Every structure is written in structure tokens, then in C-alpha cells.
Amino acid sequence: MAKVVVLGIPGEPGLWLADLEAGTVSQIDAPADGALGSANELRTGGSTVIKGVDFAIAVSSAAKVSSGLLDP
């Protein structure tokens, strides 16, 4: 099972690395080459790239998640 997730959010130019074991999230430099670089290039062009994730939702605040609400 994956213990690290790389995230990109529309409007955010960089990528984020979430380490699930350490409980940390940090911004990383977007790679220029390799598979991750190719995926990031697709992302910046408007595509959605998903691999090895079975649930993901972007919401506007942590408070909404805590109360069980999702943005429409």
C-alpha cells in the first residue's frame, strides 16, 4: 500500500507530497522529466491524472471535511 501521495490542485502551480506515515505535507519542485514530469505536464494542460488512489475530493476548508460537508 502506498504511504506517500503526490498531489496537484488546480490554481496551485506546484506539486505537494503527503507522507501518510509522518503526517506531513510539503511542497515539492515539479520535475521536468520522467513519468512524474510527464504527468505534471498533462495536469498543467488541464488533464486529470489518477494512479493508485481510490478516493480524493478537494474542498475549500478543513472545517467542511470535519463537519461532513462537501462543496457542491
Side-chain angles (χ1 to χ4, degrees):
M1 182 174 104
K3 301 291 183 182
V4 175
V5 180
V6 177
L7 305 167
I9 299 173
E12 289 283 332
L15 297 175
W16 297 85
L17 181 72
D19 184 327
L20 304 180
E21 286 186 336
T24 59
V25 178
S26 55
Q27 190 169 19
I28 60 173
D29 293 331
D33 56 4
L36 188 55
S38 296
N40 188 52
E41 188 175 320
L42 288 169
R43 176 187 83 89
T44 58
S47 296
T48 300
V49 180
I50 301 169
K51 182 177 180 179
V53 175
D54 64 4
F55 182 81
I57 297 174
V59 294
S60 59
S61 74
K64 289 187 177 186
V65 174
S66 298
S67 65
L69 298 175
L70 300 178
D71 291 341

